[in-house]
Amino acid sequence: MSSGDVKESEVEVDSAAAEKAEAEKAAAEKAAAEKAAAEKAAAEKKDLASIAADWLADLGLNADVKEDELLVHGENGVWRIVVDKPGRGKRFSLKNKLFELMTQMDENVEKYSIVVMRDAAYLRDWKRLSAAAKQKINLSLLLCSANGHVKEYE
């Protein structure tokens, strides 16, 4: 075996080790990014519910904060506000959220709302919905900004 063959083998070993180290680094970065995304989603969900609860308090309404919803018991009946559940993967469209809400409708609830972080796609889809349909099921969309501003679209 010549010294040239030994150097070539060392280069191949070094190259394989470098590729393995790069793959491990990429996997660690991916895992860290997924963990950060999950933590951000959990924080956003908490923030979204607390933003909505604070907005209701400013209106003089008290909300019972449940797992993924707020319930407001008022003189006109119960107002159920469904909190967007951000998480990993693709976000559900407004159409999916409306279908989910409609499958869980309750005869004791007078008004329904979906609260989401401000999103142009949601607002665009909301505006495409028939006003008559929104009125018949007494449905509104609550858009929240990161600074705590809430706007209700009926």
Side-chain angles (χ1 to χ4, degrees), residues 7-22:
K7 286 183 182 178
E8 233 176 82
S9 296
E10 289 174 2
V11 169
E12 287 175 11
V13 169
D14 287 344
S15 175
E19 287 177 17
K20 182 179 178 184
E22 258 184 62

Side-chain angles (χ1 to χ4, degrees), residues 9-68:
S9 296
E10 289 174 2
V11 169
E12 287 175 11
V13 169
D14 287 344
S15 175
E19 287 177 17
K20 182 179 178 184
E22 258 184 62
E24 289 173 353
K25 181 180 176 184
E29 288 173 354
K30 182 179 178 185
E34 287 175 354
K35 181 179 177 185
E39 289 172 355
K40 180 182 176 190
E44 183 177 281
K45 179 179 173 183
K46 179 183 176 214
D47 290 343
L48 194 54
S50 64
I51 289 169
D54 291 346
W55 175 72
L56 290 166
D58 289 345
L59 295 175
L61 301 169
N62 292 321
D64 295 330
V65 181
K66 304 247 179 179
E67 192 172 319
D68 294 322

